[in-house]
């Protein structure tokens, strides 16, 4: 029994990673919204497979990969700056988005930017960081306002699509 405890202790000598130690950097507004970021999903990746028959048994073989959008939540201040940031970015994606017609979908290179997500240790040092390549917001979630929410802070939720992600050394 003690050997399993010793093994566990030896595996966590660097400490356990905490999910509340992170930073999200938008290159156009790097410091401004990083401190207001309330939560973010670290992206995953899935390898898609097909089965093929080899020697009378099936094997899975890879043919592509996919990834889900990244969800980000911000605390909303009374100047609505975080909401405006995402809202304005939506307007860069589709011009005249508030109109009833004559929408203009802009070229992707005019509205994407790289976003960095950093995981930090308890001292605030970067332990792992990644870059979302060519990211842009696809969702600006509705906000719930109500008399029953008297002591709650409003959170602006959005989802970002991106071309790919990479770990930065």
């Amino acid at each position: 029994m003690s050997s399993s405890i010793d093994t566990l202790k030896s595996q966590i000598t660097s400490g356990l990673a905490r999910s509340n130690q992170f930073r999200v950097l938008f290159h156009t507004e790097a410091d401004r919204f990083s401190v207001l970021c309330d939560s973010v999903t670290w992206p995953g990746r899935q390898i898609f497979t097909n089965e093929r028959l080899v020697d009378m048994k099936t094997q899975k073989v890879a043919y592509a990969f996919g990834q889900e959008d990244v969800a980000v939540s911000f605390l909303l201040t009374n100047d609505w700056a975080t909401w405006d940031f995402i809202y304005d970015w939506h307007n860069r994606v589709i011009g005249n988005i508030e109109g009833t017609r004559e929408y203009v979908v802009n070229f992707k290179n005019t509205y994407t930017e790289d976003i960095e997500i950093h995981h930090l240790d308890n001292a605030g040092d970067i332990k792992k960081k990644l870059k979302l390549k060519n990211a842009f917001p696809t969702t600006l979630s509705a906000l719930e306002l109500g008399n029953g929410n008297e002591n709650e802070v409003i959170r602006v939720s959005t989802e970002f699509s991106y071309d790919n992600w990479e770990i930065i050394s």
Side-chain angles (χ1 to χ4, degrees):
M1 183 66 107
S2 66
S3 66
S4 62
I5 292 173
D6 291 336
T7 304
L8 175 62
K9 286 169 55 178
S10 71
Q11 293 296 316
I12 59 172
T13 56
S14 66
L16 295 173
R18 304 285 182 195
S19 62
N20 66 336
Q21 303 291 330
F22 66 93
R23 175 176 47 228
V24 179
L25 296 177
F26 299 88
H27 293 282
T28 56
E29 301 281 348
D31 293 329
R32 185 173 182 198
F33 296 114
S34 178
V35 295
L36 295 173
C37 187
D38 185 47
S39 68
V40 63
T41 54
W42 190 273
R45 191 174 278 144
Q46 180 180 3
I47 304 293
F48 298 124
T49 61
N50 276 330
E51 290 189 354
R52 69 177 185 174
L53 186 62
V54 177
D55 293 332
M56 299 298 291
K57 62 180 178 179
T58 59
Q59 292 180 342
K60 287 188 176 185
V61 294
Y63 69 89
F65 69 93
Q67 55 229 358
E68 295 179 354
D69 288 351
V70 167
V72 180
S73 174
F74 298 95
L75 299 174
L76 184 64
T77 55
N78 279 327
D79 64 2
W80 282 62
T82 50
W83 189 90
D84 289 340
F85 172 62
I86 302 301
Y87 175 80
D88 292 343
W89 201 340
H90 269 203
N91 283 315
R92 287 180 14 217
V93 176
I94 299 178
N96 196 34
I97 200 167
E98 289 184 341
T100 56
R101 59 180 60 178
E102 299 177 17
Y103 305 108
V104 178
V105 179
N106 293 309
F107 290 105
K108 191 172 181 178
N109 66 346
T110 66
Y111 58 79
T112 61
E113 70 174 59
D114 294 343
I115 298 172
E116 287 187 15
I117 303 172
H118 300 173
H119 183 258
L120 312 171
D121 64 12
N122 290 335
D125 297 326
I126 298 172
K127 299 312 287 178
K128 187 70 82 175
K129 62 181 174 177
L130 67 78
K131 181 190 315 183
L132 301 176
K133 298 177 183 178
N134 300 322
F136 64 98
T138 54
T139 303
L140 175 58
S141 295
L143 302 177
E144 183 178 334
L145 307 175
N147 292 331
N149 302 340
E150 181 179 349
N151 294 320
E152 293 184 26
V153 174
I154 298 174
R155 286 172 172 78
V156 177
S157 298
T158 186
E159 291 190 7
F160 287 89
S161 291
Y162 50 94
D163 289 345
N164 206 347
W165 59 266
E166 71 174 340
I167 297 295
I168 304 169
S169 340

